[in-house]
Amino acid sequence: EFRVSQITIVVGRFASPLDSAPTARGRATLLSPAPSSTLLPSGCLFSSPLNKNPMNRLSPDGGFDGNGNSESLATPLLLPQRSLTNSTSQVALVGANVCPIESLDYEIAENDVFKQDWRSRGKKQMFQYLFMKWSLCFLVGLIVSLIGFFNNLAVENIAGLKFVVTSNMMLAGRSKMAFFVFSASNMILTLFACLITAFIAPAAAGSGIPEVKAYLNGVDAPGILSLRTLFVKVVGSITAVSASLVVGKAGPMVHTGACVASLLSQGGSKKYGLTWKWLRFFKNDRDRRDLVTCGSAAGIAAAFRAPVGGVLFALEEMASWWRSALLWRSFFATAVVAIVLRALIDVCLSGKCGLFGKGGLIMFDVYSANITYHLADIPSVLLLGVMGGILGSFYNFLLEKVLRVYNYINEKGTVYKILLACLISLFTSCLLFGVPWLGTCQPCPPDALEACPTIGRSGNYKKFQCSSGHYNDLASLIFNTNDDAIRNLFSRNTDSEFHASSVLVFFLICCVLSILSYGIVAPVGLFVPVIVTGASYGRFVGMLFGSRPHSSLNHGLYAVLGAASFLGGSMRMTVSLCVILLELTNNLLLLPLIMLVLLISKTVADAFNGNFYDLIMKAKGLPYLEAHAEPYMRQLTVADVLSGPLWTFHGVEKVGTIIHVLRITRHNGFPIVDERSEDDSRVLSGLILRAHLIVLLKRKDAFMSTPVERGGSGAEFSAADFAKRGSGNGDTIDDLQISAEEMEMYVDLRPFTNASPYTVVETMSLAKALVLFRQLGLRHLLVIPKISNRSPVVGILTRHDFMSEHVLGLHPLLFRSRWKRLRLRLPRTLSIF
């Protein structure tokens, strides 16, 4: 519905609607809420179950959603309870500034101008539209694959050169200088990544998957898909991963693919002279959303060289709306990624990519031999799944607590954010360089398939401080890149190469460092660190339970299953993760075992908390609509969550009245209500968007001196005039220049009104309305009365009205009816975090 207030979370708290806007002069109508709706007193506060402390009253000039309400989850839940600072931002985890968040217009406004445009399109225009759709998908796949290749190439060469220099110093007996060079290079790379992120594109911090997932759900947070974000995402991810931080590049690659797709689908740019008429078809949120979905699929395909896994990842985790045509286009984009990467890898295999040019783009082809397993192996696999679910949920729990602390530090300013990242980099360098000294030297196996010890390149046998003919198994895991660590853990016929104590220490270090490294102000992901952590956990379990008679499951296979269980316990995906792991290991025989551990780990972990993408999305203040409705929503009707005031316009409206309403409200949709002359009854003519009103006021072609119906179809306007600009760069009411004489003129709004908006009756259950709202990708859902002698529209539902915090704030007695999970609690002494 329409409100003038902003609804903002602060420490998990919401503010109720603020004072109602003053009644507009002229013919615009201000409707009160439906009698059955609940409206709190002006300016009062209501409590959220997430926190019991009061919050300061908020000013009404913040960010607003599709209806003028502040995007309800703008401030993070990760704020410490003692802090009442309103740092509303979609990237508030890294202390970014306040920014508005709006909903996207996935619904097509079927007004007279739109209908005339579709009637005028012939076969040529339809061919142009289809050709450009597939062409853009091809470009997305091509560009993302090139970025992924050079991203991996840069990481392998930068990190490889750093390890070679350090290893050479170790061989020369200059251990102190080796540590200085290792830690200093890591510090410089981390500092560079943090500086460009903090000062150029704060929205590039983190993995980016929560932001892209929210965008595909209908949340338009400014800056998350801009050109600056793309640049920082690529460069920052390379430097952060090269700095030996336990972070990954898969999440940033998803964000990179989404940014590439969004920029390609802008529909041209007058600023840069890109005004090709074929691009005009994509100046709408619906086509941009589809291409961004293809971009996210291409990002995963480029990160793991897993084209089918990329499509399933976009289907299972990212997209909120899906159809068969989108499946074809995303599959085409990922196929382009796979073909281009295969061609580029052939170039690297010929030795033209430097000393370190193979890395993660090569499949972990470690199980090409036939694998057999017996019924006696199933109990250990079941144990892996159960333990993976428990560990994964506990990992998410710890991650959320650490991010709470980080947010408190980041709020103090940019200097503190940079200092925090530098301290984590130094701590990481100390662990990675110091812990291998605790490991023992082992003699090289006589049947080793590669040089032992490994000197000057990646491999399974790091010499570190050992004598000739020996290697340090702990250094082979820790003092290495993530891709090489995964390869070492996944390797078959290596059951005797690693001590159980070394694998356990590596598991603990990966778990701690990945949690500590994620919250820094840099483009970092969690996908690869979770794989590394899970693989070490699985290999340790294999060492404990796998060495049994008649068991054909070796330690490397346990590492693969451990990675699957930990991924399922933290990310809560099944089908896409299963296919990604199969494409990584290149063996279909692992399918039954991977399916089993994923299903068990996800089921166990779901009993405790949500996946970490959802937790981070909620913490960042992104109002994501879930696919399912809470049980208590079936006890409420849509009228129970409506509140006012509601502004409506007449079909022929005064210019001054429109400008006055646009200035005193932040609503983005206004119902058009007309009066019948024959019986003086009022009818709902449709809905007009704020952006379309601003176009009419800016062009002034539709101004009339008298309040009469024009009777035309807006022929002086074209569909391109109302097309939405990319990256949220639309005109505002403050950009208009209207004279006093023009303020007294009139505009016929009917030709520009969406005459077929989605409506629901006020007695519909809130749960049913939520399903309709989400599955159709709506921004506004009009509520009409059940009794005909009332106003033709009693309110409007927007994204905010379905948020659990808002509903439970209006009806706190229903708090016990919400879906509950098992709760993990820290000791009382740590509850401050």
Side-chain angles (χ1 to χ4, degrees), residues 148-212:
F149 174 76
F150 289 109
N151 186 330
N152 188 82
L153 193 64
V155 169
E156 291 294 318
N157 280 276
I158 295 174
L161 180 62
K162 177 184 63 179
F163 282 118
V164 166
V165 172
T166 306
S167 299
N168 290 337
M169 290 183 177
M170 294 282 292
L171 291 174
R174 303 166 61 190
S175 300
K176 293 183 179 179
M177 180 58 66
F179 171 71
F180 174 78
V181 172
F182 181 71
S183 59
S185 59
N186 289 342
M187 182 74 71
I188 293 173
L189 291 170
T190 302
L191 186 62
F192 177 77
C194 293
L195 286 175
I196 63 174
T197 304
F199 291 103
I200 298 179
S207 69
I209 291 180
E211 288 83 357
V212 178

Side-chain angles (χ1 to χ4, degrees), residues 16 44 51 112 152 185 259 305 352 385 433 589 678 728 785 794 817:
S16 68
C44 71
N51 193 293
D112 291 343
N152 188 82
S185 59
C259 289
R305 221 186 92 189
K352 299 179 181 180
F433 192 88
L589 297 175
E678 55 270 15
V794 296
S817 301

